[in-house]
Amino acid sequence: MNGNKPGDSQTLACVFCRKDDDCPNKYGEMKTHEKWNITVHYYCLLMSSGIWQRGKEEEGVYGFLIEDIRKEVNRASKLKCCVCKKTGASIGCVAPRCKRSYHFPCGLQRECLFQFTGNFACTVCNNSDIFQKEMLRMGIHIPEKDASWELEENAYQELLQHYEHCDVRRCRCKEGRDYNVPNSKWEIKRCQCCGSSGTHLACSLLQSWEQNWECLECRGIIYNSGGFQKAKKHTLPNTNIVGINDCLLEESSPKLPRQSPGAQHKDLLRQGNKFRRDISTIIIELGFQIIKKTKRLYINKADIWNSALNGFRNQKFNPSYTIEVVYIHENDNFGIEHPGSKQEFLTLLMQHLENSPLFEGSLSKNLTLNSQAVKENLYYEAGKMLAISLVHGGPSPGFFSKTLFNCLVYGPENTLPVLDDVSDFDVAQILIRVNTATNVADLNSVMNECYNYLELIGCLRLITSLSDKYILAKDILTHHVIKRVQAPFESFKQGLKTLGVLEKIQTYPEAFYSIFCHKPENLSAKILSDLFTVHTLSDAQSLGFWNSYLQAVEDGKSATTLEDILIFATGCNSIPPAGFKPTPSIECLQTDFPVGNKCNNCLALPITNTYKEFQDKMDFAIRNTLRLEKEESCHYIGQ
């Protein structure tokens, strides 16, 4: 691959802007791939909206593969530039609602802003230290004197005026869009990204002012910009500013400009430090939000869902308060309260949530469409519960489908569902028939038989070739898995913003994927042995019996499982991502049978003369305790 030189006998034009100007300062280097006879301006290539840098630096043109360039040229051939009115406009405006497209040179002519920085990074003060040193080296003076208008009295007075207007499509406030009452559901919350749009809390189903909210414009930019699309895209390091326009922002798709090997290495290290973090560290950091002020939750273990719902919906409940659990029994006439384990409560709540009507699927679950749950705002509450559970030391979910997780991270519009996401048998059969059609007649036959259903979901289409089946299948999948549950998804996502959990998920998707879409690793005798610290254990023989017992359970020589032991001692069937607090411990007491203190994560072992006696007592106590607890829950469900 060689660049065009002034002495070339033939001047080639850029396949994107169709100009033959070789001006690196304006359009970037002009390169020609001799084998495929393709010439491009580097900036025209870099800014094109539908192409991504999938190859290595030496592949194709700067890592952009030839096949991708040809596809992008073909896509751009259908788009007209809003400046010159000619086709080939490969650069689209970053705002989702704006349909304008440009050639790069035409954008410069119109003084559009092409951002070469990372997503939403300031193009004025970025790398200010490097900029100032470079200006000094070149002998350019940078004044530090305050501008005269800054010294005027009340110069910044207008900045103290907060935006107070509800901009949602359907404002529910009878007093009007400008009505604002602090500390009420009619308080106006501004967009956390731009601050120039607002909503009443009630109009966007926000439960408190602390919840994050983005306007439609910013939400579209966030999910359609590079940082929240495909994992393989590169974040954009900092280079130059090209031009500015008052009314239009043009932002590049996130591609990787040319860098020196050293700069590339540093950038990769920076990305690794930012995105490849340990999940336990992230959740522990989220836990720093929890304050010492305590909120007591009264929980009926036989009705865990409604108990939790009532507690979390209480006006005095604050997600950042320390949670204290008290167990109550509805049939207890004396109203006796029993101290409860917070981690056990959160474990039971997450188990109920996984098997609730809000989710569908066997192992990997997606959201359901439950009109009653939407009406009662239960999807929001489910997201809120999940966020609270993670931050307060509860278990990981582990039951999300990859599709549901990707919708949360990258946005529904950037997620493609698969057949496994469809739990409805009839819909799955339609998809299978569409995918296995061998000719146009078969495909039309399926269309005719399913006419009413396809018409209802808006997926009727004219079949002209067998390849249309792939588009049809995609439309059905997208409707059933994503569009159909749009309202539950938006509500669930708002709930997941509690305590900043959703923001962390979107920042560190790889870390959270491991706990949202996968169950925790299986317990082993060694894991449990290392997990429990020895506390006031004076009987060395009992410690030996304990280790032997763990090994026997792992080998299947006991009536219990390792998960049963952990539940008996802590109330959890797995180790939470943030670990246990306090650390599980074992002690030896003069008791007939083992005792599990779930509030302190402490397991008291019996003192026996023989190992067989030790194992029999451990098996009997653990098995029967868990059986009784399970029967209590089943008794409520039966009623």
Side-chain angles (χ1 to χ4, degrees), residues 319-386:
S320 61
Y321 288 174
T322 298
I323 294 176
E324 180 182 298
V325 175
V326 174
Y327 288 136
I328 57 175
H329 301 283
E330 58 181 8
N331 296 326
D332 189 347
N333 296 325
F334 298 98
I336 300 176
E337 299 177 356
H338 305 277
S341 162
K342 177 182 67 175
Q343 287 178 315
E344 179 188 35
F345 156 63
L346 293 174
T347 297
L348 294 174
L349 182 59
M350 290 301 102
Q351 289 174 352
H352 180 93
L353 188 63
E354 179 178 358
N355 299 304
S356 72
L358 303 180
F359 294 90
E360 63 183 10
S362 53
L363 298 177
S364 300
K365 296 178 180 287
N366 290 292
L367 292 173
T368 61
L369 178 58
N370 187 315
S371 58
Q372 186 63 29
V374 172
K375 183 178 180 181
E376 296 177 11
N377 206 22
L378 296 185
Y379 290 98
Y380 170 83
E381 298 295 341
K384 178 181 176 181
M385 288 177 181
L386 203 154

Side-chain angles (χ1 to χ4, degrees), residues 164 195 291 348 405 422:
E164 296 182 352
I291 59 179
L348 294 174
F405 183 80
V422 180

